[in-house]
Amino acid sequence: MPIFLIRIFLFALLTFTFAQTTVIAQDKSKFKQLQEELPTPNVYRNAAGAPGHQYWQMRADYTMDIVLDDEKRRLSGEETITYYNNSPDVLDYLWLQLDQNLFDKNSETPLVQNSTFDDHPSLTDIAKISADFDGGFKIELVRDKKTENNLPYTVVKTMMRVELPKPLQPNEKYSFSIKWWYNINDRLRLGGRSGYEYFAKDDNCLYTIAQFFPRMAVYSDVEGWQHKQFLGRGEFALTFGDYDVRITTPADHVLGATGSLQNPNEVLTAEQRQRFEKSKTSAIPVAIVTENEAVAAETKRSTAKKTWHFKAENVRDFAFATSRKFIWDAMGVQLPTNFVMAMSYYPKEGNPLWGEYSTKIVAHTLKSYSKFTFDYPYPVASSVHSDQIGMEYPMICFNFGRPNSDGTYSDRTKYSMQGVIIHEVGHNWFPMMINSDERQWAWLDEGLNSFIEYLTEQAWDPNFPSRRGPAVKIADYMKSDPQSLEPIMTNPEAIKQLGNNAYGKTAAGLNILREIIMGHELFDYAFKTYSNRWKFKHPEPADFFRTMEDASGIDLDWFWRGWFYSTNYVDIAIDNVKWYQIDPTDPEVKEAILALEKEMTNPDEKKSDSSERPITQNETDTSTSGKMKDSKYWQNILAQKRYQKQYITLDPGDKTLLSPENHYYEVKFSNKGGLVMPLLLEFEYVDGSTSKTYIPAEVWQQNEQTVNKIFVTKKELRRITLDPNLLTADTDTGNNVFPRTAERTKLEEFKQRQKNK
């Protein structure tokens, strides 16, 4: 074969100086499987990430009678809980959650939280520090439902242990009653996920009420009793069941709640009932309680009472909102397998923004989330407006976004309001139906929900300024001070930046999986498989990781390990580029051929040198002369034959490979941030055209720090760009371009566009 002459060119490098990032120490295990980190599969949760053939979960049914005292701002209630032991275990006692004890005078929450004043503390800041509020549950009795005997119980901060009269055997159920009351917190002054908002102008309250009753803790195959204390940030682990709830309020209140209203004839006027029927088939929201009716109610007080009756099946919680200030509108939404009423409750202070958008956003969210998971199965989805809150419960959520007092509002207010409604309505799937343990794993509901929220926002408005979802949005967080970072797989109480971590980083990671690692088709299929496998069940992180791999056929352990279990970040650099072209001839052969071609094309140009004279018979007779080797003419003839034998006779495919028209570029990449990622490359040619190349992340398997790749092009390159569309959360795009350029990076351009918005 010929000896190839390789001409090497430097790929022009501009003489700018760039700061270099220190390579993070590598643990040599980025592609190690997660077998040690994930729990061993068993009969309850199998290796594919699905519920095992002996999977079980508990059940708790509630009947409640609740009374709201608007004058004292107090709530009292009595409930009967029927608890079903569907486990293979014998239970000696039951654990319940007392989340209102967050506001008890002896609560440990203020003690474990850091507190500081800035230069201009608000009244809310001062109130939270110095408030003398008598909050928390006041338990009056815990009683056996059948015998009416009192049951011993022990309150342990925000949890309560109830002693059973005899052990509860597998497949048995037990009913008991609890009576309690508590003072409702001023949510704007004292904080909290529920409470009341006071309107001084008309001396009225808007109540958003949740965590208002002692609730069963989860007993599962993973942790037994989940009784981690409620400190405020970590949310809830709850058991599915049916609810039958009666709520007594002032007669002029309008109330929305989890479930379906059972007694509309008793609480609504005939005209309001007619409007409700009309709203079922309307293409736009219909006001059931109008603004004029709400204004009239808030200007006068009724001394009468009325009771609202709601039922909800197979839900994990119950919440409600009530006020005489409420406007109420609704419209029907037809999904492929279910009909749903989308509804909104809001005071006049929410208009015109809420009347224009809230219920329409609810309807859009129901359709979008159903597309990516499963059809919304409940009969109602409600959005309630109260200032400075975003919180979710089955079939009902509380949302912020208030216009100015004159009714004007900015785009920022509008998009914030639309985004929070999408997010909180979306929580109906994560975790209200796909019922993960929020107190232990915030990302498994907040992160998955934030990801689908992003897809839903973009489907609503392609110019929606989504806060979370795109990979570029999380780059600044991931390259921030390592002391402020924790892995996603961290309990929410221990995370310094919960929003960036559990919400933003998780959503960005899922977006990276969907856009560049798995592709839409495989990702969507696997995500929908996870959603349907764990609908109305209790998934754990391993169930999500395993299902995504099982349903897609793609090994993602390297991604879970880097993105979820570490605080490494993405910073992949193009360190150097070498440019090669191949000359397919032996240098000596080429020189001889050139001489022969010159002599054949110019036969009359003879030199005086004896080696150029005509060949004699004696010289061709090697047996007598031996001078043939001195003849350049014959040397050239032999060289041409050798070239024909070695190159010209190659098959066309081999000739193409050795074509001098090919350009070979050897590119050296380095992993400076620690996280491996696919290499997304854009080639820009000297003629102005471009092309793109995708290299899977497995290219880093042999060397997690550096990678060398040779690319063959038919045209000369002007520039190579790594991650040109900012899809990998690369934290330093300045080293993603070769030759280096002093132009503003795409990440900087993106930030400037966001700033301009």
Side-chain angles (χ1 to χ4, degrees), residues 515-529:
E515 293 298 329
I516 66 173
I517 295 174
M518 301 174 71
H520 289 194
E521 182 178 355
L522 285 180
F523 180 93
D524 291 352
Y525 181 87
F527 195 85
K528 181 170 285 193
T529 299

Side-chain angles (χ1 to χ4, degrees), residues 656-697:
T656 300
L657 291 176
L658 301 178
S659 170
E661 296 180 358
N662 291 338
H663 299 262
Y664 295 81
Y665 293 92
E666 181 182 329
V667 186
K668 180 180 180 181
F669 304 92
S670 64
N671 180 3
K672 298 180 178 299
L675 276 188
V676 295
M677 275 287 157
L679 303 178
L680 311 180
L681 298 171
E682 181 178 77
F683 295 150
E684 180 183 344
Y685 302 97
V686 293
D687 64 3
S689 61
T690 61
S691 66
K692 292 184 177 180
T693 296
Y694 175 89
I695 307 295

Side-chain angles (χ1 to χ4, degrees), residues 482-630:
Q483 298 301 315
S484 68
L485 302 177
E486 302 84 18
I488 291 176
M489 294 293 290
T490 302
N491 183 271
E493 299 292 353
I495 297 174
K496 297 180 181 69
Q497 301 182 53
L498 184 66
N500 281 326
N501 183 299
Y503 296 65
K505 187 179 177 183
T506 305
L510 297 180
N511 205 41
I512 289 171
L513 285 177
R514 187 173 190 259
E515 293 298 329
I516 66 173
I517 295 174
M518 301 174 71
H520 289 194
E521 182 178 355
L522 285 180
F523 180 93
D524 291 352
Y525 181 87
F527 195 85
K528 181 170 285 193
T529 299
Y530 166 76
S531 300
N532 281 275
R533 279 180 176 179
W534 291 98
K535 177 171 56 176
F536 298 117
K537 294 182 177 67
H538 301 292
E540 292 287 320
D543 301 317
F544 177 71
F545 296 150
R546 285 168 167 157
T547 294
M548 292 299 291
E549 296 189 26
D550 177 67
S552 68
I554 297 180
D555 181 5
L556 298 171
D557 278 20
W558 64 270
F559 185 81
W560 309 131
R561 181 179 295 281
W563 198 267
F564 284 79
Y565 284 86
S566 84
T567 57
N568 290 341
Y569 56 93
V570 182
D571 180 12
I572 299 174
I574 301 178
D575 288 337
N576 191 31
V577 178
K578 293 180 180 179
W579 174 21
Y580 298 84
Q581 281 185 297
I582 292 180
D583 188 334
T585 60
D586 183 316
E588 295 181 3
V589 172
K590 182 175 181 180
E591 182 180 351
I593 292 173
L594 290 174
L596 177 61
E597 289 177 347
K598 181 177 180 181
E599 185 171 335
M600 293 180 68
T601 54
N602 301 286
D604 297 331
E605 296 183 10
K606 300 296 182 181
K607 295 182 180 180
S608 60
D609 190 280
S610 62
S611 63
E612 299 297 331
R613 60 182 170 75
I615 305 300
T616 66
Q617 177 65 35
N618 184 53
E619 291 173 326
T620 61
D621 186 354
T622 57
S623 64
T624 59
S625 163
K627 292 184 177 181
M628 180 178 175
K629 62 181 179 180
D630 296 326

Side-chain angles (χ1 to χ4, degrees), residues 84-361:
Y84 298 79
N85 182 7
N86 296 325
S87 79
D89 306 327
V90 177
L91 304 179
D92 295 318
Y93 45 76
L94 306 178
W95 280 98
L96 290 89
Q97 304 182 55
L98 303 181
D99 303 301
Q100 284 299 322
N101 284 3
L102 183 78
F103 296 102
D104 186 88
K105 287 185 175 182
N106 298 318
S107 171
E108 291 188 351
T109 298
L111 302 179
V112 301
Q113 292 177 339
N114 290 320
S115 56
T116 182
F117 279 145
D118 58 22
D119 293 337
H120 303 284
S122 67
L123 289 175
T124 301
D125 295 330
I126 297 172
K128 288 181 179 179
I129 297 296
S130 58
D132 183 21
F133 175 64
D134 184 17
F137 283 116
K138 312 304 191 274
I139 305 294
E140 295 188 346
L141 63 85
V142 180
R143 181 174 293 169
D144 183 290
K145 184 65 175 177
K146 184 177 181 180
T147 66
E148 297 190 357
N149 293 329
N150 289 338
L151 296 174
Y153 65 91
T154 303
V155 174
V156 185
K157 304 172 187 178
T158 60
M159 304 297 296
M160 180 171 70
R161 187 182 68 241
V162 175
E163 308 294 335
L164 296 173
K166 64 176 182 178
L168 185 61
Q169 301 295 322
N171 300 316
E172 287 186 349
K173 63 181 179 179
Y174 178 71
S175 296
F176 63 106
S177 300
I178 305 175
K179 187 176 182 180
W180 77 95
W181 65 272
Y182 70 90
N183 294 315
I184 303 172
N185 55 297
D186 182 337
R187 192 177 47 73
L188 296 188
R189 292 181 67 251
L190 302 177
R193 298 176 182 273
S194 66
Y196 69 84
E197 177 185 354
Y198 177 65
F199 292 80
K201 188 174 181 180
D202 51 56
D203 188 29
N204 276 298
C205 288
L206 188 161
Y207 296 91
T208 48
I209 303 298
Q211 293 90 53
F212 65 91
F213 59 101
R215 305 178 296 175
M216 291 302 307
V218 167
Y219 184 85
S220 74
D221 62 285
V222 177
E223 294 191 20
W225 287 109
Q226 167 54 288
H227 44 38
K228 287 180 67 68
Q229 294 293 328
F230 179 47
L231 298 176
R233 174 177 280 187
E235 293 185 273
F236 312 107
L238 299 163
T239 300
F240 285 110
D242 295 344
Y243 285 75
D244 187 341
V245 183
R246 290 172 172 82
I247 307 168
T248 300
T249 69
D252 49 8
H253 271 220
V254 172
L255 187 145
T258 298
S260 298
L261 180 62
Q262 302 297 300
N263 61 337
N265 293 342
E266 299 174 19
V267 295
L268 302 179
T269 67
E271 187 174 5
Q272 289 168 346
R273 296 197 301 271
Q274 290 176 355
R275 295 170 187 162
F276 185 80
E277 289 301 317
K278 179 181 177 182
S279 70
K280 293 180 180 179
T281 57
S282 176
I284 59 174
V286 173
I288 299 165
V289 176
T290 67
E291 182 167 344
N292 288 338
E293 290 170 334
V295 170
E298 71 181 15
T299 57
K300 56 185 179 180
R301 301 293 180 88
S302 171
T303 59
K305 304 290 183 181
K306 67 181 175 185
T307 298
W308 299 72
H309 184 195
F310 284 84
K311 286 186 177 182
E313 295 180 355
N314 203 23
V315 293
R316 72 169 216 160
D317 200 1
F318 190 99
F320 67 93
T322 182
S323 177
R324 58 177 56 87
K325 293 177 65 66
F326 273 152
I327 303 163
W328 174 17
D329 68 34
M331 64 183 291
V333 180
Q334 183 62 60
L335 300 175
T337 61
N338 193 34
F339 179 80
V340 187
M341 290 302 298
M343 304 194 295
S344 296
Y345 300 83
Y346 48 94
K348 66 180 186 301
E349 287 79 5
N351 269 336
L353 185 60
W354 275 69
E356 175 64 25
Y357 291 111
S358 178
T359 299
K360 294 177 184 177
I361 290 286

